[in-house]
Amino acid sequence: MTTPRMLQFVDRQQAMPDKRAADARRRDFGEIYEGYSDTGAASQAGRCSQCGVPFCQVHCPLHNNIPDWLMLTAEGRLEEAYEVSSATNTFPEVCGRICPQDRLCEGNCVIEQSGHGTVTIGSIEKYITDTAWEKGWITPIKPMRERGESVGVIGGGPGGLAAAEQLRRRGYKVTVYDRYDRIGGLLIYGIPNFKLEKDVVLRRARWLEESGVEFALNTEVGTTISFADLRAKHDAVLIATGVYKARDLKAPGVGQENIIPAMRFLTASNRTGLGDTVDDFDSGALNAAGKNIVVIGGGDTAMDCVRTSIRQGAKSVKCLYRRDRANMPGSQREVANAEEEGVEFVWLAQPEGFTGDATVTGVRSQRMRLGRPDATGRRSPQPIDGEIDTHEADLVIMALGFDPEDLPVLWGEPELPVTRWGTVKVDHRTQMTAMPGVFAAGDIVRGASLVVWAIRDGRDAAASIHDYLKARAAAPAAAE
Ligand SMILES: Cc1cc2nc3c(=O)[nH]c(=O)nc-3n(C[C@H](O)[C@H](O)[C@H](O)COP(=O)(O)OP(=O)(O)OC[C@H]3O[C@@H](n4cnc5c(N)ncnc54)[C@H](O)[C@@H]3O)c2cc1C
Ligand code: SF4
């Protein structure tokens, strides 16, 4: 069902020149485009009580020194605020936009817990860093000294890039290899533009390049270049390849046309936004405009798919999830945003088949109820006999989560240690695998996680690589 709100939004997007469209976006989707003036940021930052028990800092994976940069912002000392905030975070403008702050820093703000509304930490972090870019305070890295050793980083997502930045600061030669044609990983082709504008990511990529980091794009380790060659070429290697194997659903009719994985849909949308020609988007195959869309899944990727569908001008958008709202993995804030934009959520609905003949026409779902908690502590969904619904669909998007690709097989490296889930096994104190000089960071170690955790891992891995290379230089024989 197309709601008046959806129509208004789509009409305005299509008809308006840029500035007016941006204003309309701000009105319609204010949670993302919330902006500050200097005085607005200062007064919001001034709400921090400097409570002395900075739970916000503890619950930020980077342990950002939030109270200090809030105080500096409140005092109008923005350049210093930027210095403090960027000391622990490689991409503060990204985290400020897309961290699930309600579960991290802001959710643990003492003022929030006393019922007075959190200090909007993420928005202030974004504001400080956007201002630093505007004012020219962010300049290319100039290491104190250049070092002879080089590090190869596989994967140009936030994990790999955070490591690249930290290694470059320490003077190493760094090459980032990525199979995509642009740097950024899921920041560029996964997360939609309405949550994270692509020029924000590309600006950081340019800055890294100006800082001396080399990018080898369209280079897939395992095909374009072998892992063994990469190891031979560099003194240390970091694996930061993320997780990309989409989980499947086994149900009758699942192989039909118009049932597509979430990443195909989101990548096409992001590429189009970046100005690329995407034939499957232009032909309508990967475009939600005018269609009844059914998204299957209850995580943040599903939320991105439903909200992207709305923005493309879908006729109706439904999201099917087999548990209830309270037990979904996605952020409650995202669900509220999606509902407000006109998405219909069908809770306790397990897809059990697809109608249509070659081209899907609908999704049949089994109604569920929640039973006892399973081994993970979550209440497991159980079918209610005979209760089946059918949902009309012109395009079905599967957002059931991601698993790691089988790196030891793809790379012909049976020695690369992986867990039973396929994630790369590391010593968590050093991020190093059992292969000397081979480290790993981000989703490929944790499983699908968050940008801020990938940044944290990348920074930690860089510190360990530095220690490893220093130790090797001091005692070459011992490290062999
Ligand atoms: C749709 C979607 C929305 C999300 N939204 C959010 C959000 O709002 N907030 C949040 O915090 N997190 C979000 N996440 C999670 C977040 O994007 C990831 O946790 C994060 O990007 C992981 O970073 P990474 O560097 O480990 O991997 P990635 O970002 O996945 O980057 C890995 C890179 O490695 C490259 N690569 C892989 N294999 C090879 C190879 N063999 N050779 C060369 N290159 C290779 C890939 O091309 C890619 O560029 C979202 C994820 C998805 C899928
Ligand atoms: S990095 Fe994320 S969790 Fe940490 S302060 Fe910024 S928005 Fe909050």
Side-chain angles (χ1 to χ4, degrees):
M1 172 199 53
T2 310
T3 64
R5 190 177 170 81
M6 286 159 70
L7 281 175
Q8 277 171 12
F9 177 73
V10 171
D11 287 351
R12 274 204 297 272
Q13 286 294 292
Q14 284 164 356
M16 283 181 188
D18 283 357
K19 173 154 188 331
R20 287 180 54 214
D23 289 345
R25 271 201 305 270
R26 243 175 244 119
R27 259 198 321 278
D28 286 327
F29 301 106
E31 90 286 356
I32 293 156
Y33 290 89
E34 187 179 345
Y36 283 128
S37 63
D38 275 9
T39 46
S43 73
Q44 180 59 228
R47 292 182 59 237
C48 174
S49 65
Q50 299 290 320
C51 57
V53 277
F55 290 123
C56 56
Q57 184 171 359
V58 173
H59 288 272
C60 164
L62 294 162
H63 301 316
N64 282 342
N65 195 342
I66 300 163
D68 276 11
W69 47 256
L70 288 178
M71 193 197 292
L72 290 164
T73 305
E75 291 171 0
R77 294 156 65 187
L78 280 184
E79 190 165 359
E80 290 160 86
Y82 173 72
E83 290 299 324
V84 177
S85 126
S86 62
T88 47
N89 191 351
T90 310
F91 308 114
E93 71 279 37
V94 172
C95 293
R97 283 170 169 83
I98 59 161
C99 269
Q101 286 100 3
D102 51 341
R103 303 202 304 252
L104 301 171
C105 53
E106 293 180 11
N108 290 280
C109 168
V110 168
I111 297 182
E112 166 79 359
Q113 285 165 0
S114 65
H116 293 91
T118 180
V119 176
T120 55
I121 297 166
S123 300
I124 297 171
E125 188 177 32
K126 162 182 177 299
Y127 175 74
I128 295 169
T129 321
D130 286 349
T131 307
W133 278 110
E134 249 169 56
K135 304 268 187 198
W137 299 333
I138 303 177
T139 52
I141 298 166
K142 290 205 167 43
M144 299 275 280
R145 61 172 269 218
E146 293 291 344
R147 294 174 191 271
E149 299 102 322
S150 77
V151 182
V153 175
I154 313 173
L161 295 183
E165 182 251 0
Q166 289 288 298
L167 289 162
R168 190 63 204 121
R169 273 190 199 286
R170 291 172 167 99
Y172 293 103
K173 295 184 186 61
V174 184
T175 307
V176 178
Y177 299 84
D178 203 294
R179 61 187 173 191
Y180 283 152
D181 55 347
R182 288 186 177 92
I183 278 299
L186 288 173
L187 301 181
I188 200 90
Y189 287 137
I191 300 172
N193 194 54
F194 67 84
K195 276 168 67 181
L196 175 63
E197 309 91 308
K198 300 305 157 200
D199 50 359
V200 167
V201 182
L202 296 173
R203 182 172 62 185
R204 274 291 174 189
R206 274 196 306 275
W207 171 77
L208 283 169
E209 218 162 11
E210 285 159 14
S211 301
V213 174
E214 285 183 14
F215 294 136
L217 298 178
N218 301 307
T219 305
E220 175 152 9
V221 174
T223 51
T224 326
I225 181 170
S226 76
F227 182 69
D229 285 349
L230 209 77
R231 276 191 86 192
K233 194 167 165 193
H234 296 286
D235 298 282
V237 170
L238 176 70
I239 304 171
T241 47
V243 289
Y244 283 88
K245 196 165 86 189
R247 288 191 193 133
D248 278 344
L249 185 73
K250 289 191 177 44
V254 79
Q256 296 186 74
E257 204 186 303
N258 297 4
I259 303 180
I260 57 168
M263 269 306 285
R264 237 185 113 201
F265 176 68
L266 293 172
T267 304
S269 175
N270 278 320
R271 279 196 180 280
T272 307
L274 282 156
D276 295 353
T277 303
V278 181
D279 293 341
D280 283 345
F281 185 87
D282 296 341
S283 73
L286 299 179
N287 186 343
K291 293 183 180 160
N292 296 302
I293 305 295
V294 174
V295 175
I296 299 174
D300 287 333
T301 303
M303 299 308 108
D304 287 346
C305 292
V306 293
R307 299 186 74 195
T308 299
S309 301
I310 294 268
R311 282 157 178 78
Q312 290 180 355
K315 190 165 155 204
S316 75
V317 183
K318 272 188 189 179
C319 182
L320 309 189
Y321 180 56
R322 65 198 179 119
R323 291 188 164 91
D324 63 1
R325 184 184 192 125
N327 286 284
M328 69 178 290
S331 139
Q332 294 294 329
R333 189 173 66 178
E334 286 285 292
V335 179
N337 290 335
E339 275 179 333
E340 199 193 321
E341 291 164 20
V343 174
E344 185 187 338
F345 284 87
V346 187
W347 307 112
L348 295 163
Q350 164 85 47
E352 59 106 55
F354 299 89
T355 58
D357 179 13
T359 302
V360 77
T361 56
V363 182
R364 278 198 317 274
S365 70
Q366 161 78 63
R367 283 197 209 163
M368 313 293 280
R369 64 182 156 71
L370 291 182
R372 292 169 181 281
D374 60 17
T376 65
R378 291 174 81 201
R379 292 177 66 193
S380 53
Q382 292 167 357
I384 307 175
D385 283 345
E387 304 249 353
I388 304 285
D389 299 304
T390 301
H391 313 272
E392 196 183 343
D394 305 310
L395 182 65
V396 177
I397 304 171
M398 304 281 231
L400 299 165
F402 302 94
D403 288 319
E405 289 158 296
D406 192 346
L407 295 187
V409 170
L410 288 175
W411 291 358
E413 290 286 343
E415 304 290 298
L416 181 69
V418 291
T419 64
R420 65 191 161 106
W421 300 280
T423 49
V424 173
K425 213 188 254 181
V426 295
D427 175 337
H428 288 286
R429 289 163 305 179
T430 61
Q431 306 273 123
M432 190 158 94
T433 67
M435 287 178 150
V438 176
F439 296 74
D443 280 5
I444 192 60
V445 175
R446 292 178 180 272
S449 178
L450 292 174
V451 167
V452 65
W453 279 114
I455 297 172
R456 165 74 192 271
D457 288 351
R459 293 173 68 97
D460 286 353
S464 291
I465 291 171
H466 179 52
D467 290 345
Y468 167 82
L469 291 176
K470 269 192 319 185
R472 203 185 67 163
E480 289 304 314

